Short mmCIF file of all heavy atoms in Angstrom, two decimals:
data_model
loop_
_atom_site.label_atom_id
_atom_site.label_comp_id
_atom_site.label_asym_id
_atom_site.label_seq_id
_atom_site.Cartn_x
_atom_site.Cartn_y
_atom_site.Cartn_z
N MET A 1355 -63.99 14.05 -62.18
CA MET A 1355 -63.19 14.00 -63.39
C MET A 1355 -62.50 12.63 -63.53
O MET A 1355 -62.45 12.08 -64.61
CB MET A 1355 -62.15 15.13 -63.36
CG MET A 1355 -61.26 15.12 -64.56
SD MET A 1355 -61.60 16.45 -65.64
CE MET A 1355 -60.02 17.15 -65.80
N GLN A 1356 -61.99 12.12 -62.41
CA GLN A 1356 -61.31 10.82 -62.43
C GLN A 1356 -62.27 9.72 -62.89
O GLN A 1356 -61.90 8.87 -63.69
CB GLN A 1356 -60.75 10.50 -61.04
CG GLN A 1356 -60.01 9.18 -60.95
CD GLN A 1356 -58.60 9.26 -61.50
OE1 GLN A 1356 -58.10 10.34 -61.77
NE2 GLN A 1356 -57.99 8.13 -61.66
N GLU A 1357 -63.50 9.76 -62.39
CA GLU A 1357 -64.49 8.73 -62.75
C GLU A 1357 -64.85 8.85 -64.23
O GLU A 1357 -65.03 7.84 -64.91
CB GLU A 1357 -65.73 8.87 -61.86
CG GLU A 1357 -66.63 7.67 -61.90
CD GLU A 1357 -65.94 6.37 -61.49
OE1 GLU A 1357 -65.10 6.38 -60.58
OE2 GLU A 1357 -66.25 5.33 -62.11
N ARG A 1358 -64.94 10.07 -64.73
CA ARG A 1358 -65.25 10.27 -66.15
C ARG A 1358 -64.10 9.75 -67.02
O ARG A 1358 -64.34 9.08 -68.03
CB ARG A 1358 -65.50 11.76 -66.43
CG ARG A 1358 -65.98 12.00 -67.86
CD ARG A 1358 -66.30 13.43 -68.11
NE ARG A 1358 -65.03 14.16 -68.15
CZ ARG A 1358 -64.89 15.45 -67.90
NH1 ARG A 1358 -65.93 16.16 -67.57
NH2 ARG A 1358 -63.72 16.02 -67.98
N ASN A 1359 -62.87 10.02 -66.63
CA ASN A 1359 -61.72 9.50 -67.39
C ASN A 1359 -61.68 7.98 -67.36
O ASN A 1359 -61.39 7.34 -68.38
CB ASN A 1359 -60.41 10.06 -66.84
CG ASN A 1359 -60.19 11.51 -67.25
OD1 ASN A 1359 -60.89 12.05 -68.10
ND2 ASN A 1359 -59.24 12.14 -66.61
N ARG A 1360 -61.98 7.41 -66.20
CA ARG A 1360 -62.01 5.94 -66.09
C ARG A 1360 -63.05 5.36 -67.04
O ARG A 1360 -62.79 4.36 -67.72
CB ARG A 1360 -62.31 5.54 -64.64
CG ARG A 1360 -62.30 4.05 -64.41
CD ARG A 1360 -62.59 3.73 -62.94
NE ARG A 1360 -62.85 2.34 -62.73
CZ ARG A 1360 -61.92 1.43 -62.52
NH1 ARG A 1360 -60.66 1.78 -62.47
NH2 ARG A 1360 -62.25 0.17 -62.35
N ALA A 1361 -64.22 5.97 -67.11
CA ALA A 1361 -65.27 5.50 -68.01
C ALA A 1361 -64.84 5.63 -69.47
O ALA A 1361 -65.12 4.74 -70.28
CB ALA A 1361 -66.56 6.27 -67.76
N ARG A 1362 -64.16 6.71 -69.80
CA ARG A 1362 -63.66 6.89 -71.17
C ARG A 1362 -62.63 5.84 -71.52
O ARG A 1362 -62.62 5.29 -72.64
CB ARG A 1362 -63.08 8.29 -71.33
CG ARG A 1362 -64.16 9.37 -71.32
CD ARG A 1362 -63.60 10.76 -71.21
NE ARG A 1362 -62.74 11.11 -72.32
CZ ARG A 1362 -62.07 12.25 -72.40
NH1 ARG A 1362 -62.17 13.13 -71.43
NH2 ARG A 1362 -61.32 12.50 -73.43
N VAL A 1363 -61.74 5.54 -70.57
CA VAL A 1363 -60.72 4.51 -70.80
C VAL A 1363 -61.38 3.15 -70.99
O VAL A 1363 -61.02 2.40 -71.91
CB VAL A 1363 -59.69 4.46 -69.65
CG1 VAL A 1363 -58.79 3.25 -69.76
CG2 VAL A 1363 -58.86 5.74 -69.63
N LEU A 1364 -62.35 2.82 -70.15
CA LEU A 1364 -63.04 1.53 -70.27
C LEU A 1364 -63.75 1.40 -71.62
O LEU A 1364 -63.67 0.34 -72.26
CB LEU A 1364 -64.05 1.35 -69.14
CG LEU A 1364 -63.48 0.97 -67.79
CD1 LEU A 1364 -64.56 0.99 -66.72
CD2 LEU A 1364 -62.81 -0.40 -67.84
N ALA A 1365 -64.41 2.45 -72.06
CA ALA A 1365 -65.10 2.40 -73.35
C ALA A 1365 -64.11 2.24 -74.50
O ALA A 1365 -64.33 1.44 -75.42
CB ALA A 1365 -65.95 3.66 -73.55
N ALA A 1366 -63.02 2.97 -74.44
CA ALA A 1366 -62.00 2.87 -75.49
C ALA A 1366 -61.34 1.50 -75.47
O ALA A 1366 -61.09 0.90 -76.53
CB ALA A 1366 -60.95 3.96 -75.30
N ALA A 1367 -61.08 0.98 -74.29
CA ALA A 1367 -60.46 -0.34 -74.17
C ALA A 1367 -61.39 -1.42 -74.69
O ALA A 1367 -60.95 -2.34 -75.40
CB ALA A 1367 -60.09 -0.62 -72.72
N ARG A 1368 -62.66 -1.33 -74.36
CA ARG A 1368 -63.64 -2.31 -74.86
C ARG A 1368 -63.60 -2.34 -76.38
O ARG A 1368 -63.52 -3.42 -76.99
CB ARG A 1368 -65.03 -1.96 -74.36
CG ARG A 1368 -66.10 -2.95 -74.80
CD ARG A 1368 -67.49 -2.58 -74.29
NE ARG A 1368 -67.53 -2.67 -72.83
CZ ARG A 1368 -67.59 -1.62 -72.02
NH1 ARG A 1368 -67.61 -0.39 -72.50
NH2 ARG A 1368 -67.63 -1.77 -70.71
N ALA A 1369 -63.63 -1.19 -77.01
CA ALA A 1369 -63.61 -1.13 -78.47
C ALA A 1369 -62.31 -1.71 -79.02
O ALA A 1369 -62.32 -2.47 -80.01
CB ALA A 1369 -63.78 0.32 -78.94
N GLU A 1370 -61.20 -1.38 -78.41
CA GLU A 1370 -59.90 -1.88 -78.87
C GLU A 1370 -59.80 -3.40 -78.71
O GLU A 1370 -59.33 -4.09 -79.61
CB GLU A 1370 -58.77 -1.18 -78.09
CG GLU A 1370 -57.38 -1.59 -78.48
CD GLU A 1370 -56.93 -1.12 -79.86
OE1 GLU A 1370 -57.66 -0.36 -80.53
OE2 GLU A 1370 -55.83 -1.52 -80.27
N PHE A 1371 -60.25 -3.93 -77.58
CA PHE A 1371 -60.19 -5.37 -77.36
C PHE A 1371 -61.11 -6.11 -78.32
O PHE A 1371 -60.76 -7.19 -78.81
CB PHE A 1371 -60.55 -5.72 -75.91
CG PHE A 1371 -59.52 -5.29 -74.90
CD1 PHE A 1371 -59.90 -4.70 -73.71
CD2 PHE A 1371 -58.17 -5.47 -75.12
CE1 PHE A 1371 -58.97 -4.30 -72.77
CE2 PHE A 1371 -57.21 -5.07 -74.20
CZ PHE A 1371 -57.62 -4.48 -73.01
N VAL A 1372 -62.27 -5.54 -78.61
CA VAL A 1372 -63.20 -6.18 -79.56
C VAL A 1372 -62.58 -6.21 -80.96
O VAL A 1372 -62.63 -7.23 -81.64
CB VAL A 1372 -64.57 -5.45 -79.57
CG1 VAL A 1372 -65.41 -5.86 -80.76
CG2 VAL A 1372 -65.32 -5.71 -78.28
N GLU A 1373 -62.00 -5.10 -81.36
CA GLU A 1373 -61.42 -5.01 -82.71
C GLU A 1373 -60.14 -5.80 -82.88
O GLU A 1373 -59.91 -6.43 -83.92
CB GLU A 1373 -61.15 -3.55 -83.07
CG GLU A 1373 -62.39 -2.77 -83.39
CD GLU A 1373 -62.08 -1.34 -83.75
OE1 GLU A 1373 -60.93 -1.04 -84.16
OE2 GLU A 1373 -62.99 -0.50 -83.63
N ARG A 1374 -59.25 -5.76 -81.89
CA ARG A 1374 -57.92 -6.32 -82.07
C ARG A 1374 -57.60 -7.53 -81.20
O ARG A 1374 -56.61 -8.19 -81.41
CB ARG A 1374 -56.87 -5.24 -81.79
CG ARG A 1374 -57.02 -4.02 -82.67
CD ARG A 1374 -55.82 -3.14 -82.57
NE ARG A 1374 -55.99 -1.81 -83.11
CZ ARG A 1374 -56.31 -1.49 -84.33
NH1 ARG A 1374 -56.54 -2.42 -85.21
NH2 ARG A 1374 -56.40 -0.23 -84.71
N GLY A 1375 -58.40 -7.77 -80.17
CA GLY A 1375 -58.10 -8.84 -79.24
C GLY A 1375 -57.11 -8.36 -78.19
O GLY A 1375 -56.47 -7.32 -78.35
N PHE A 1376 -56.97 -9.14 -77.13
CA PHE A 1376 -56.12 -8.74 -76.01
C PHE A 1376 -54.67 -8.55 -76.42
O PHE A 1376 -54.04 -7.55 -76.12
CB PHE A 1376 -56.22 -9.75 -74.86
CG PHE A 1376 -55.29 -9.45 -73.74
CD1 PHE A 1376 -55.61 -8.47 -72.81
CD2 PHE A 1376 -54.09 -10.12 -73.60
CE1 PHE A 1376 -54.74 -8.17 -71.77
CE2 PHE A 1376 -53.22 -9.84 -72.56
CZ PHE A 1376 -53.56 -8.86 -71.64
N ARG A 1377 -54.12 -9.54 -77.12
CA ARG A 1377 -52.69 -9.50 -77.45
C ARG A 1377 -52.30 -8.31 -78.33
O ARG A 1377 -51.27 -7.69 -78.12
CB ARG A 1377 -52.27 -10.78 -78.14
CG ARG A 1377 -52.14 -11.93 -77.19
CD ARG A 1377 -51.67 -13.17 -77.92
NE ARG A 1377 -51.50 -14.24 -76.98
CZ ARG A 1377 -50.38 -14.91 -76.85
NH1 ARG A 1377 -49.35 -14.66 -77.61
NH2 ARG A 1377 -50.30 -15.87 -75.95
N ALA A 1378 -53.12 -8.01 -79.32
CA ALA A 1378 -52.77 -6.95 -80.27
C ALA A 1378 -53.17 -5.55 -79.77
O ALA A 1378 -52.70 -4.56 -80.32
CB ALA A 1378 -53.42 -7.23 -81.62
N ALA A 1379 -54.01 -5.49 -78.77
CA ALA A 1379 -54.43 -4.18 -78.24
C ALA A 1379 -53.23 -3.46 -77.63
O ALA A 1379 -52.37 -4.08 -77.00
CB ALA A 1379 -55.52 -4.37 -77.19
N LYS A 1380 -53.18 -2.17 -77.81
CA LYS A 1380 -52.08 -1.35 -77.31
C LYS A 1380 -52.61 -0.24 -76.40
O LYS A 1380 -53.60 0.42 -76.72
CB LYS A 1380 -51.31 -0.69 -78.47
CG LYS A 1380 -50.77 -1.66 -79.48
CD LYS A 1380 -49.62 -2.44 -78.91
CE LYS A 1380 -49.03 -3.35 -79.96
NZ LYS A 1380 -48.47 -4.54 -79.42
N ILE A 1381 -51.94 -0.04 -75.28
CA ILE A 1381 -52.33 1.01 -74.34
C ILE A 1381 -52.29 2.38 -75.01
O ILE A 1381 -53.18 3.21 -74.78
CB ILE A 1381 -51.43 1.00 -73.09
CG1 ILE A 1381 -51.66 -0.28 -72.28
CG2 ILE A 1381 -51.66 2.23 -72.22
CD1 ILE A 1381 -53.02 -0.40 -71.62
N ASP A 1382 -51.31 2.64 -75.86
CA ASP A 1382 -51.23 3.93 -76.56
C ASP A 1382 -52.47 4.18 -77.42
O ASP A 1382 -52.97 5.30 -77.48
CB ASP A 1382 -49.97 4.00 -77.42
CG ASP A 1382 -48.70 4.13 -76.61
OD1 ASP A 1382 -48.77 4.60 -75.45
OD2 ASP A 1382 -47.63 3.74 -77.11
N VAL A 1383 -52.94 3.15 -78.08
CA VAL A 1383 -54.13 3.28 -78.93
C VAL A 1383 -55.37 3.49 -78.07
O VAL A 1383 -56.24 4.30 -78.41
CB VAL A 1383 -54.28 2.05 -79.86
CG1 VAL A 1383 -55.57 2.12 -80.67
CG2 VAL A 1383 -53.08 1.93 -80.79
N ILE A 1384 -55.46 2.77 -76.97
CA ILE A 1384 -56.59 2.94 -76.05
C ILE A 1384 -56.61 4.38 -75.53
O ILE A 1384 -57.66 5.02 -75.50
CB ILE A 1384 -56.51 1.91 -74.90
CG1 ILE A 1384 -56.75 0.51 -75.46
CG2 ILE A 1384 -57.50 2.25 -73.80
CD1 ILE A 1384 -56.43 -0.62 -74.50
N ALA A 1385 -55.46 4.90 -75.15
CA ALA A 1385 -55.38 6.28 -74.67
C ALA A 1385 -55.82 7.26 -75.75
O ALA A 1385 -56.58 8.19 -75.48
CB ALA A 1385 -53.95 6.59 -74.23
N GLU A 1386 -55.36 7.03 -76.97
CA GLU A 1386 -55.73 7.91 -78.09
C GLU A 1386 -57.24 7.86 -78.32
O GLU A 1386 -57.88 8.89 -78.53
CB GLU A 1386 -54.99 7.49 -79.35
CG GLU A 1386 -55.21 8.40 -80.52
CD GLU A 1386 -54.39 7.98 -81.73
OE1 GLU A 1386 -53.22 7.62 -81.56
OE2 GLU A 1386 -54.95 8.01 -82.84
N ARG A 1387 -57.83 6.67 -78.31
CA ARG A 1387 -59.28 6.52 -78.50
C ARG A 1387 -60.05 7.26 -77.41
O ARG A 1387 -61.12 7.80 -77.67
CB ARG A 1387 -59.68 5.05 -78.44
CG ARG A 1387 -59.42 4.26 -79.67
CD ARG A 1387 -59.85 2.80 -79.41
NE ARG A 1387 -59.63 1.97 -80.55
CZ ARG A 1387 -60.59 1.42 -81.28
NH1 ARG A 1387 -61.85 1.60 -80.97
NH2 ARG A 1387 -60.29 0.66 -82.31
N ALA A 1388 -59.52 7.24 -76.20
CA ALA A 1388 -60.18 7.89 -75.08
C ALA A 1388 -59.94 9.40 -75.05
O ALA A 1388 -60.56 10.12 -74.27
CB ALA A 1388 -59.71 7.27 -73.76
N GLY A 1389 -59.00 9.87 -75.88
CA GLY A 1389 -58.66 11.29 -75.88
C GLY A 1389 -57.85 11.68 -74.66
O GLY A 1389 -57.92 12.81 -74.19
N LEU A 1390 -57.06 10.71 -74.16
CA LEU A 1390 -56.26 10.93 -72.96
C LEU A 1390 -54.81 10.54 -73.22
O LEU A 1390 -54.50 10.01 -74.29
CB LEU A 1390 -56.82 10.08 -71.80
CG LEU A 1390 -58.26 10.37 -71.39
CD1 LEU A 1390 -58.79 9.28 -70.47
CD2 LEU A 1390 -58.35 11.73 -70.72
N THR A 1391 -53.97 10.76 -72.26
CA THR A 1391 -52.57 10.35 -72.38
C THR A 1391 -52.41 8.92 -71.86
O THR A 1391 -53.28 8.41 -71.15
CB THR A 1391 -51.66 11.27 -71.55
OG1 THR A 1391 -51.99 11.12 -70.17
CG2 THR A 1391 -51.80 12.73 -71.98
N ARG A 1392 -51.29 8.33 -72.20
CA ARG A 1392 -50.99 6.99 -71.68
C ARG A 1392 -50.90 7.03 -70.16
O ARG A 1392 -51.34 6.11 -69.48
CB ARG A 1392 -49.68 6.48 -72.29
CG ARG A 1392 -49.34 5.12 -71.75
CD ARG A 1392 -48.30 4.38 -72.47
NE ARG A 1392 -47.12 5.09 -72.90
CZ ARG A 1392 -45.96 4.50 -73.08
NH1 ARG A 1392 -45.81 3.22 -72.85
NH2 ARG A 1392 -44.92 5.18 -73.50
N GLY A 1393 -50.36 8.11 -69.63
CA GLY A 1393 -50.28 8.28 -68.18
C GLY A 1393 -51.65 8.28 -67.51
O GLY A 1393 -51.81 7.75 -66.41
N ALA A 1394 -52.64 8.86 -68.18
CA ALA A 1394 -54.00 8.86 -67.63
C ALA A 1394 -54.57 7.45 -67.57
O ALA A 1394 -55.28 7.10 -66.64
CB ALA A 1394 -54.90 9.76 -68.47
N VAL A 1395 -54.24 6.64 -68.57
CA VAL A 1395 -54.67 5.23 -68.55
C VAL A 1395 -54.03 4.52 -67.37
O VAL A 1395 -54.70 3.85 -66.58
CB VAL A 1395 -54.34 4.52 -69.88
CG1 VAL A 1395 -54.68 3.03 -69.80
CG2 VAL A 1395 -55.07 5.16 -71.05
N TYR A 1396 -52.72 4.69 -67.23
CA TYR A 1396 -52.00 4.02 -66.15
C TYR A 1396 -52.35 4.57 -64.76
O TYR A 1396 -52.14 3.88 -63.77
CB TYR A 1396 -50.49 4.07 -66.39
CG TYR A 1396 -50.04 3.08 -67.42
CD1 TYR A 1396 -49.45 3.50 -68.60
CD2 TYR A 1396 -50.20 1.71 -67.22
CE1 TYR A 1396 -49.03 2.59 -69.56
CE2 TYR A 1396 -49.78 0.79 -68.17
CZ TYR A 1396 -49.20 1.23 -69.34
OH TYR A 1396 -48.79 0.32 -70.28
N SER A 1397 -52.87 5.77 -64.69
CA SER A 1397 -53.29 6.29 -63.39
C SER A 1397 -54.59 5.63 -62.93
O SER A 1397 -54.91 5.65 -61.75
CB SER A 1397 -53.45 7.81 -63.41
OG SER A 1397 -54.61 8.19 -64.11
N ASN A 1398 -55.31 5.02 -63.87
CA ASN A 1398 -56.55 4.33 -63.55
C ASN A 1398 -56.38 2.81 -63.48
O ASN A 1398 -57.12 2.14 -62.76
CB ASN A 1398 -57.62 4.66 -64.59
CG ASN A 1398 -58.19 6.03 -64.41
OD1 ASN A 1398 -59.01 6.26 -63.53
ND2 ASN A 1398 -57.73 6.98 -65.22
N PHE A 1399 -55.44 2.28 -64.22
CA PHE A 1399 -55.23 0.83 -64.31
C PHE A 1399 -53.73 0.54 -64.34
O PHE A 1399 -53.00 1.19 -65.09
CB PHE A 1399 -55.88 0.27 -65.57
CG PHE A 1399 -57.36 0.56 -65.65
CD1 PHE A 1399 -57.82 1.66 -66.35
CD2 PHE A 1399 -58.27 -0.24 -64.99
CE1 PHE A 1399 -59.18 1.94 -66.41
CE2 PHE A 1399 -59.62 0.04 -65.03
CZ PHE A 1399 -60.09 1.13 -65.74
N PRO A 1400 -53.27 -0.44 -63.56
CA PRO A 1400 -51.82 -0.71 -63.51
C PRO A 1400 -51.25 -1.34 -64.78
O PRO A 1400 -50.04 -1.31 -64.98
CB PRO A 1400 -51.68 -1.66 -62.31
CG PRO A 1400 -53.02 -2.27 -62.12
CD PRO A 1400 -54.01 -1.25 -62.61
N GLY A 1401 -52.10 -1.88 -65.64
CA GLY A 1401 -51.60 -2.49 -66.86
C GLY A 1401 -52.74 -2.98 -67.74
O GLY A 1401 -53.92 -2.87 -67.39
N LYS A 1402 -52.36 -3.53 -68.89
CA LYS A 1402 -53.35 -3.97 -69.87
C LYS A 1402 -54.22 -5.10 -69.32
O LYS A 1402 -55.42 -5.13 -69.55
CB LYS A 1402 -52.64 -4.40 -71.16
CG LYS A 1402 -53.60 -4.76 -72.28
CD LYS A 1402 -52.94 -4.88 -73.63
CE LYS A 1402 -52.09 -6.11 -73.75
NZ LYS A 1402 -51.68 -6.36 -75.16
N ARG A 1403 -53.62 -6.01 -68.59
CA ARG A 1403 -54.39 -7.14 -68.03
C ARG A 1403 -55.46 -6.63 -67.06
O ARG A 1403 -56.61 -7.07 -67.11
CB ARG A 1403 -53.47 -8.13 -67.35
CG ARG A 1403 -54.19 -9.36 -66.81
CD ARG A 1403 -53.22 -10.31 -66.19
NE ARG A 1403 -52.24 -10.72 -67.16
CZ ARG A 1403 -52.10 -11.96 -67.62
NH1 ARG A 1403 -52.84 -12.91 -67.14
NH2 ARG A 1403 -51.20 -12.24 -68.52
N ALA A 1404 -55.10 -5.72 -66.19
CA ALA A 1404 -56.06 -5.16 -65.24
C ALA A 1404 -57.17 -4.42 -65.97
O ALA A 1404 -58.35 -4.49 -65.59
CB ALA A 1404 -55.36 -4.22 -64.26
N LEU A 1405 -56.82 -3.72 -67.02
CA LEU A 1405 -57.80 -3.01 -67.83
C LEU A 1405 -58.75 -3.99 -68.51
O LEU A 1405 -59.97 -3.80 -68.52
CB LEU A 1405 -57.08 -2.14 -68.87
CG LEU A 1405 -57.93 -1.29 -69.80
CD1 LEU A 1405 -58.92 -0.44 -69.05
CD2 LEU A 1405 -57.01 -0.43 -70.66
N TYR A 1406 -58.21 -5.07 -69.03
CA TYR A 1406 -59.02 -6.11 -69.68
C TYR A 1406 -60.02 -6.70 -68.69
O TYR A 1406 -61.21 -6.84 -68.99
CB TYR A 1406 -58.11 -7.19 -70.25
CG TYR A 1406 -58.83 -8.28 -71.00
CD1 TYR A 1406 -59.37 -8.04 -72.25
CD2 TYR A 1406 -58.96 -9.54 -70.45
CE1 TYR A 1406 -60.02 -9.03 -72.96
CE2 TYR A 1406 -59.60 -10.56 -71.15
CZ TYR A 1406 -60.14 -10.29 -72.39
OH TYR A 1406 -60.79 -11.29 -73.07
N PHE A 1407 -59.54 -7.04 -67.49
CA PHE A 1407 -60.44 -7.61 -66.49
C PHE A 1407 -61.49 -6.59 -66.04
O PHE A 1407 -62.62 -6.96 -65.73
CB PHE A 1407 -59.66 -8.16 -65.30
CG PHE A 1407 -58.98 -9.47 -65.61
CD1 PHE A 1407 -57.64 -9.64 -65.32
CD2 PHE A 1407 -59.65 -10.52 -66.20
CE1 PHE A 1407 -56.99 -10.83 -65.60
CE2 PHE A 1407 -59.02 -11.72 -66.48
CZ PHE A 1407 -57.69 -11.89 -66.18
N ALA A 1408 -61.14 -5.32 -65.99
CA ALA A 1408 -62.10 -4.28 -65.63
C ALA A 1408 -63.20 -4.17 -66.68
O ALA A 1408 -64.37 -3.98 -66.35
CB ALA A 1408 -61.40 -2.94 -65.44
N VAL A 1409 -62.82 -4.30 -67.95
CA VAL A 1409 -63.81 -4.28 -69.04
C VAL A 1409 -64.75 -5.48 -68.88
O VAL A 1409 -65.97 -5.34 -68.98
CB VAL A 1409 -63.13 -4.28 -70.42
CG1 VAL A 1409 -64.13 -4.55 -71.53
CG2 VAL A 1409 -62.43 -2.94 -70.66
N LEU A 1410 -64.18 -6.66 -68.65
CA LEU A 1410 -65.01 -7.86 -68.47
C LEU A 1410 -65.95 -7.71 -67.28
O LEU A 1410 -67.13 -8.06 -67.36
CB LEU A 1410 -64.13 -9.09 -68.28
CG LEU A 1410 -63.32 -9.55 -69.49
CD1 LEU A 1410 -62.46 -10.75 -69.11
CD2 LEU A 1410 -64.21 -9.90 -70.66
N ALA A 1411 -65.44 -7.19 -66.17
CA ALA A 1411 -66.27 -7.01 -64.97
C ALA A 1411 -67.39 -6.01 -65.22
O ALA A 1411 -68.53 -6.22 -64.79
CB ALA A 1411 -65.40 -6.55 -63.80
N ALA A 1412 -67.09 -4.92 -65.92
CA ALA A 1412 -68.12 -3.92 -66.22
C ALA A 1412 -69.19 -4.51 -67.12
O ALA A 1412 -70.38 -4.27 -66.92
CB ALA A 1412 -67.48 -2.69 -66.86
N ASP A 1413 -68.78 -5.29 -68.11
CA ASP A 1413 -69.75 -5.92 -69.00
C ASP A 1413 -70.61 -6.93 -68.25
O ASP A 1413 -71.82 -7.01 -68.46
CB ASP A 1413 -69.04 -6.60 -70.18
CG ASP A 1413 -68.56 -5.61 -71.22
OD1 ASP A 1413 -68.85 -4.41 -71.10
OD2 ASP A 1413 -67.86 -6.05 -72.15
N ALA A 1414 -70.00 -7.71 -67.37
CA ALA A 1414 -70.75 -8.69 -66.58
C ALA A 1414 -71.75 -8.00 -65.67
O ALA A 1414 -72.90 -8.44 -65.54
CB ALA A 1414 -69.80 -9.57 -65.78
N ALA A 1415 -71.33 -6.92 -65.04
CA ALA A 1415 -72.23 -6.19 -64.14
C ALA A 1415 -73.40 -5.58 -64.92
O ALA A 1415 -74.53 -5.56 -64.42
CB ALA A 1415 -71.47 -5.10 -63.41
N ALA A 1416 -73.13 -5.12 -66.12
CA ALA A 1416 -74.19 -4.52 -66.94
C ALA A 1416 -75.19 -5.56 -67.42
O ALA A 1416 -76.36 -5.25 -67.66
CB ALA A 1416 -73.58 -3.80 -68.14
N ARG A 1417 -74.76 -6.80 -67.53
CA ARG A 1417 -75.64 -7.86 -68.03
C ARG A 1417 -76.32 -8.65 -66.93
O ARG A 1417 -77.13 -9.52 -67.23
CB ARG A 1417 -74.82 -8.81 -68.90
CG ARG A 1417 -74.40 -8.15 -70.17
CD ARG A 1417 -73.82 -9.14 -71.14
NE ARG A 1417 -73.55 -8.44 -72.39
CZ ARG A 1417 -72.36 -8.33 -72.94
NH1 ARG A 1417 -71.33 -8.90 -72.38
NH2 ARG A 1417 -72.21 -7.68 -74.06
N GLU A 1418 -75.98 -8.36 -65.68
CA GLU A 1418 -76.60 -9.08 -64.57
C GLU A 1418 -78.09 -8.84 -64.58
O GLU A 1418 -78.55 -7.73 -64.72
CB GLU A 1418 -76.02 -8.55 -63.24
CG GLU A 1418 -75.43 -9.62 -62.40
CD GLU A 1418 -74.82 -9.03 -61.14
OE1 GLU A 1418 -75.46 -8.18 -60.51
OE2 GLU A 1418 -73.70 -9.43 -60.83
N ARG A 1419 -78.85 -9.91 -64.44
CA ARG A 1419 -80.30 -9.75 -64.41
C ARG A 1419 -80.76 -9.54 -62.98
O ARG A 1419 -80.11 -10.01 -62.05
CB ARG A 1419 -80.99 -10.93 -65.06
CG ARG A 1419 -80.80 -12.23 -64.38
CD ARG A 1419 -81.48 -13.34 -65.19
NE ARG A 1419 -80.79 -14.59 -64.97
CZ ARG A 1419 -81.14 -15.47 -64.03
NH1 ARG A 1419 -82.17 -15.25 -63.29
NH2 ARG A 1419 -80.46 -16.57 -63.87
N PRO A 1420 -81.85 -8.86 -62.80
CA PRO A 1420 -82.37 -8.62 -61.45
C PRO A 1420 -82.67 -9.94 -60.74
O PRO A 1420 -83.06 -10.92 -61.38
CB PRO A 1420 -83.65 -7.83 -61.68
CG PRO A 1420 -83.59 -7.35 -63.08
CD PRO A 1420 -82.67 -8.27 -63.82
N THR A 1421 -82.51 -9.95 -59.42
CA THR A 1421 -82.81 -11.16 -58.67
C THR A 1421 -84.30 -11.41 -58.66
O THR A 1421 -85.10 -10.48 -58.76
CB THR A 1421 -82.29 -11.04 -57.22
OG1 THR A 1421 -82.91 -9.90 -56.63
CG2 THR A 1421 -80.79 -10.92 -57.17
N GLY A 1422 -84.66 -12.66 -58.57
CA GLY A 1422 -86.07 -13.01 -58.52
C GLY A 1422 -86.70 -13.20 -59.88
O GLY A 1422 -87.88 -13.51 -59.97
N THR A 1423 -85.97 -13.02 -60.94
CA THR A 1423 -86.52 -13.24 -62.27
C THR A 1423 -86.20 -14.64 -62.74
O THR A 1423 -85.19 -15.23 -62.36
CB THR A 1423 -85.98 -12.22 -63.30
OG1 THR A 1423 -84.57 -12.36 -63.36
CG2 THR A 1423 -86.35 -10.81 -62.92
N ALA A 1424 -87.04 -15.17 -63.53
CA ALA A 1424 -86.84 -16.52 -64.05
C ALA A 1424 -85.74 -16.50 -65.10
O ALA A 1424 -85.61 -15.53 -65.86
CB ALA A 1424 -88.13 -17.03 -64.67
N PRO A 1425 -84.94 -17.57 -65.16
CA PRO A 1425 -83.92 -17.64 -66.20
C PRO A 1425 -84.57 -17.82 -67.56
O PRO A 1425 -85.72 -18.26 -67.66
CB PRO A 1425 -83.09 -18.87 -65.82
CG PRO A 1425 -84.02 -19.69 -65.00
CD PRO A 1425 -84.94 -18.73 -64.31
N PRO A 1426 -83.87 -17.47 -68.64
CA PRO A 1426 -84.42 -17.68 -69.98
C PRO A 1426 -84.74 -19.15 -70.21
O PRO A 1426 -84.15 -20.04 -69.60
CB PRO A 1426 -83.30 -17.22 -70.91
CG PRO A 1426 -82.42 -16.37 -70.07
CD PRO A 1426 -82.56 -16.88 -68.66
N ALA A 1427 -85.70 -19.40 -71.08
CA ALA A 1427 -86.11 -20.78 -71.40
C ALA A 1427 -84.89 -21.60 -71.83
O ALA A 1427 -84.04 -21.13 -72.56
CB ALA A 1427 -87.15 -20.77 -72.50
N GLY A 1428 -84.79 -22.80 -71.31
CA GLY A 1428 -83.70 -23.69 -71.69
C GLY A 1428 -82.48 -23.57 -70.82
O GLY A 1428 -81.53 -24.31 -70.99
N CYS A 1429 -82.47 -22.63 -69.87
CA CYS A 1429 -81.32 -22.45 -68.98
C CYS A 1429 -81.58 -23.15 -67.66
O CYS A 1429 -82.66 -23.03 -67.09
CB CYS A 1429 -81.06 -20.98 -68.70
SG CYS A 1429 -80.44 -20.10 -70.13
N ALA A 1430 -80.60 -23.87 -67.20
CA ALA A 1430 -80.71 -24.53 -65.89
C ALA A 1430 -80.34 -23.54 -64.79
O ALA A 1430 -79.53 -22.66 -65.00
CB ALA A 1430 -79.78 -25.74 -65.84
N ARG A 1431 -80.92 -23.70 -63.65
CA ARG A 1431 -80.59 -22.84 -62.50
C ARG A 1431 -79.36 -23.31 -61.81
O ARG A 1431 -78.95 -24.32 -61.65
CB ARG A 1431 -81.72 -22.79 -61.51
CG ARG A 1431 -82.76 -21.83 -61.98
CD ARG A 1431 -83.71 -21.54 -60.84
NE ARG A 1431 -84.61 -20.55 -61.36
CZ ARG A 1431 -85.00 -19.51 -60.70
NH1 ARG A 1431 -84.60 -19.32 -59.50
NH2 ARG A 1431 -85.82 -18.65 -61.22
#
């Protein structure tokens, strides 16, 4: 359940950060988007900055290409 809530918070936070940017994003709105309480957000992340970095890390991990593949044309190694 904790992992599912964390995933919901990350998805809601990603949408909020994309729409409003870091400064204007609000934890209360992220919680509402996730269908959770503000306390549930804070039980997974100590603050907005940590949540923002978690979103960035999740996006980076999702975009990582498999090792041993050639970089796209025009990219230096």
Side-chain angles (χ1 to χ4, degrees):
M1355 178 109 127
Q1356 181 79 10
E1357 195 58 38
R1358 186 177 72 204
N1359 285 349
R1360 182 179 169 86
R1362 289 169 61 184
V1363 170
L1364 283 173
R1368 182 180 295 108
E1370 181 70 5
F1371 291 137
V1372 166
E1373 286 181 22
R1374 302 192 194 301
F1376 175 79
R1377 285 182 177 234
K1380 303 289 183 211
I1381 293 293
D1382 289 336
V1383 175
I1384 292 168
E1386 185 177 318
R1387 282 178 180 247
L1390 300 167
T1391 64
R1392 179 166 42 154
V1395 175
Y1396 283 117
S1397 74
N1398 285 282
F1399 302 96
K1402 185 167 72 168
R1403 183 178 301 245
L1405 181 52
Y1406 183 73
F1407 285 130
V1409 168
L1410 292 178
D1413 284 354
R1417 291 191 175 120
E1418 236 178 45
R1419 64 183 151 93
T1421 58
T1423 60
C1429 290
R1431 280 193 176 223

